[in-house]
Amino acid sequence: MTFQEELLINKFGQDLVDQEEVRSYFCTLEEESRRRFLRELTGLIFQSKPQIEDIGPAIKNSGLKPTYTPCVLIKQGLTWGNLEKIIHLPAYEMKKTLLLFIHLFRIAYQRRFQAEKNNPDKWWYWDFTDKDNLIKATEKNTLDTFYPD
């Protein structure tokens, strides 16, 4: 996932962008890039430590019907294998999957954001309402691209 994509997702987690902005970006991608995006989003979801109790609210917040295939499948558990199965649903299910995943991410992220807010070692939990944090995060990720650890 590019830094800009990850920043977009983290801004969604902080309620600074809406789901339409994320969905619009997602729709610009080709099918294989969409699957890559969903796969990498799964990593961000697990980094945020979702809980099984987050599934119901994620479905509700996404606006998806609980009977949609991604919603039915996610109720089987929050495992890599299960989310990978959802990622590999037919292409026509990908937008639903995106909505479900970003709302699951937001719920778990907000819990971690409160605990880790402005941790100097975790730019993704910096408060992005502060423009200085956006600048620092961009600079850090630009430098990390040229000078990885």
Side-chain angles (χ1 to χ4, degrees), residues 45-97:
I45 290 169
F46 282 114
Q47 178 183 32
S48 296
K49 300 182 180 178
Q51 299 170 2
I52 199 79
E53 305 83 45
D54 298 338
I55 293 172
I59 293 169
K60 182 179 182 193
N61 295 347
S62 71
L64 298 172
K65 293 181 182 178
T67 55
Y68 285 160
T69 304
C71 299
V72 170
L73 290 175
I74 203 164
K75 291 175 188 173
Q76 295 175 3
L78 295 173
T79 64
W80 281 102
N82 194 41
L83 295 189
E84 188 71 20
K85 187 179 355 176
I86 296 169
I87 291 168
H88 288 289
L89 288 171
Y92 62 84
E93 298 282 7
M94 290 170 68
K95 290 178 192 170
K96 293 175 198 160
T97 299

Side-chain angles (χ1 to χ4, degrees), residues 9-17 105-106 109-110 113 123-129:
I9 296 300
N10 287 308
K11 283 177 149 184
F12 178 79
Q14 292 183 28
D15 291 319
L16 301 176
V17 299
F105 168 79
R106 179 185 271 171
Y109 175 90
Q110 287 184 349
F113 179 70
W123 68 265
W124 50 94
Y125 293 127
W126 293 351
D127 180 358
F128 294 126
T129 60

Side-chain angles (χ1 to χ4, degrees), residues 8-45:
L8 176 65
I9 296 300
N10 287 308
K11 283 177 149 184
F12 178 79
Q14 292 183 28
D15 291 319
L16 301 176
V17 299
D18 62 18
Q19 75 177 23
E20 185 55 33
E21 190 168 339
V22 179
R23 193 194 66 75
S24 292
Y25 171 75
F26 186 75
C27 289
T28 68
L29 302 174
E30 298 294 325
E31 182 177 336
E32 194 50 44
S33 294
R34 287 180 184 184
R35 290 196 196 280
R36 174 198 50 82
F37 186 90
L38 291 171
R39 200 169 296 109
E40 292 171 358
L41 177 55
T42 300
L44 297 179
I45 290 169

